[in-house]
Amino acid sequence: MTIPTPPDPTVAETIKHLPHAITAYLRETQPGRKANFHDLLPAFAEDATVLDDGNTYTGHDEIRHWRETAASEYTYTEELTHAEKLDDTHWVLTHHLEGNFPGGEVDLIYRFTLTGDVIQSLEIAP
């Protein structure tokens, strides 16, 4: 049995200062929400990469396909438990997920790299 980590008390303050691209990503990828790709894709650079579950997706077409597939595969809830700005271009967020996926519970770390005001790369890993 895993003892849940209590949410970071600074998360509420940190998320107030997230860049628009990360905020758009978080809004459009909420569990159970059908992503509005007119809002999601402009958050990413044209040549952005996403690394998720051992797969790399490059560019808007592959990122769109990844989100369409990922959003329909499992049902889950998600809670943002940690948010940290490392420097002007790097942010790390941790989400606690519970759902009908293998293992039923996981903490995922989202590592964002920004170029200007868009996401250049996103790595998602436990």
Side-chain angles (χ1 to χ4, degrees), residues 11-91:
V11 170
E13 186 59 33
T14 303
I15 61 173
K16 292 178 187 176
H17 305 287
L18 288 174
H20 175 74
I22 295 175
T23 301
Y25 172 82
L26 294 175
R27 180 183 61 246
E28 297 304 326
T29 59
Q30 290 177 14
R33 178 184 172 111
K34 183 176 179 181
N36 174 348
F37 290 104
H38 294 294
D39 291 336
L40 178 63
L41 292 177
F44 287 90
E46 289 285 332
D47 61 345
T49 59
V50 174
L51 177 61
D52 182 31
D53 202 23
N55 298 304
T56 301
Y57 307 91
T58 303
H60 283 188
D61 289 343
E62 289 185 16
I63 291 170
R64 179 188 190 111
H65 178 71
W66 161 70
R67 280 307 311 157
E68 288 172 337
T69 304
S72 64
E73 196 169 1
Y74 300 108
T75 302
Y76 59 93
T77 60
E78 160 180 273
E79 179 183 3
L80 181 60
T81 58
H82 178 79
E84 181 178 1
K85 178 181 180 180
L86 302 179
D87 58 37
D88 288 341
T89 61
H90 296 92
W91 290 77

